[in-house]
Amino acid sequence: MLPKNWLLIFLSITVILAIIAIVKKYKKESMIQLVFWFILIAFVIASSFASSVLSKSSFWAPRMRFSLGALVGILFLYLYVTTDLFQKKNILCILAITVVALYASCNLYQYITIIIQGKQMNQVEKEECQRIEQHIQEYEQQTGLEVTKIARVFSSSHNRNLYLPNNPKANSTVFNSTKCWWSAKGVIYFYTNRRLEYTNAIPEGKEILEESGKEWQCIDDTLYIFIYQR
């Protein structure tokens, strides 16, 4: 994956280029346009953080910063349409083209990386669901009970199991679906064709699961499973 602050680096360079180009264009015409674009840039940056402050959930999620990524594209479109930045063969033009090329390349690299990791995680999920199914079948054969429910037990103590194994650059786009609150039932059904209905975990079941040292455990007619992401 890319460095942590790569978007802010590209955004800062783009804003500086936009300020230089705007100043050169409007310094002899009207200060109103110049002030307008400064306010627009400041507003977009501020709105990105305001949405996080006002949001009651998911304040850390990258999607809450979409306006920052959009600002990069908007500024380059503006510079291309309203200025001659990309027509003059000077250092500023070369820098702008370089930034655009690097930004596009970084995004492409990011997309490809996420797609590859997603496919790898699909395989991890498939194998885990198969192990869950095998566990349920063995339990049903031993007890004569039919497992029809699934109870989610949230825990943050082993959240490394939420990501790709042995992946030092894990990210939220490739969570293990069997470990997520909203998808555990669906992914098990997808890979095993076993329909389970959500039910609330009872204290006794939680205690048995925690003492088992396993990621999941059948108790009565219910599959208890650890969840690491709400």
Side-chain angles (χ1 to χ4, degrees):
M1 301 300 287
L2 294 170
K4 183 178 180 180
N5 297 315
W6 75 277
L7 177 59
L8 294 179
I9 293 172
F10 278 114
L11 179 61
S12 300
I13 296 174
T14 304
V15 169
I16 292 172
L17 284 172
I19 290 174
I20 294 173
I22 293 169
V23 169
K24 289 177 63 176
K25 178 175 177 62
Y26 292 112
K27 65 180 180 181
K28 295 181 180 180
E29 299 178 14
S30 172
M31 289 297 293
I32 296 178
Q33 292 288 342
L34 186 59
V35 172
F36 168 76
W37 282 104
F38 285 160
I39 293 175
L40 177 63
I41 293 172
F43 175 78
V44 172
I45 294 175
S47 66
S48 171
F49 296 96
S51 62
S52 299
V53 174
L54 298 175
S55 175
K56 294 182 179 180
S57 64
S58 301
F59 60 89
W60 52 268
R63 63 178 176 272
M64 301 300 290
R65 301 284 189 267
F66 72 93
S67 56
L68 291 180
L71 180 59
V72 176
I74 291 171
L75 288 177
F76 274 119
L77 284 174
Y78 165 75
L79 293 175
Y80 182 80
V81 172
T82 64
T83 71
D84 58 357
L85 176 63
F86 292 94
Q87 281 72 46
K88 292 184 177 180
K89 302 301 180 182
N90 53 26
I91 296 178
L92 203 60
C93 174
I94 295 173
L95 178 60
I97 294 175
T98 301
V99 171
V100 172
L102 285 175
Y103 185 70
S105 300
C106 286
N107 275 287
L108 181 60
Y109 169 78
Q110 191 89 333
Y111 297 149
I112 293 174
T113 301
I114 290 173
I115 291 172
I116 292 173
Q117 290 186 358
K119 289 182 176 295
Q120 293 172 344
M121 181 57 80
N122 289 342
Q123 183 62 32
V124 171
E125 292 168 349
K126 179 180 179 179
E127 293 173 356
E128 184 157 354
C129 287
Q130 290 172 344
R131 291 194 296 270
I132 292 174
E133 175 65 15
Q134 182 179 359
H135 170 74
I136 294 175
Q137 289 179 1
E138 292 175 354
Y139 173 82
E140 290 178 334
Q141 291 174 0
Q142 293 172 1
T143 63
L145 297 174
E146 182 182 3
V147 176
T148 60
K149 301 175 184 176
I150 179 172
R152 297 161 293 182
V153 179
F154 180 74
S155 173
S156 59
S157 59
H158 298 90
N159 59 4
R160 64 180 180 276
N161 297 318
L162 181 64
Y163 307 103
L164 276 174
N166 304 317
N167 184 4
K169 298 181 179 180
N171 64 86
S172 61
T173 60
V174 285
F175 283 153
N176 186 333
S177 295
T178 65
K179 310 300 183 185
C180 296
W181 192 267
W182 60 86
S183 58
K185 179 180 73 172
V187 70
I188 292 174
Y189 171 68
F190 180 82
Y191 286 113
T192 68
N193 202 35
R194 179 179 289 271
R195 290 185 180 273
L196 300 174
E197 295 299 326
Y198 284 131
T199 187
N200 294 327
I202 60 176
E204 293 80 1
K206 292 180 181 179
E207 185 176 351
I208 293 174
L209 177 61
E210 291 169 354
E211 291 177 353
S212 71
K214 300 178 181 178
E215 289 290 299
W216 55 79
Q217 183 73 33
C218 289
I219 304 170
D220 295 330
D221 64 346
T222 304
L223 172 71
Y224 278 72
I225 185 170
F226 273 126
I227 295 296
Y228 303 116
Q229 176 61 39
R230 286 186 182 275

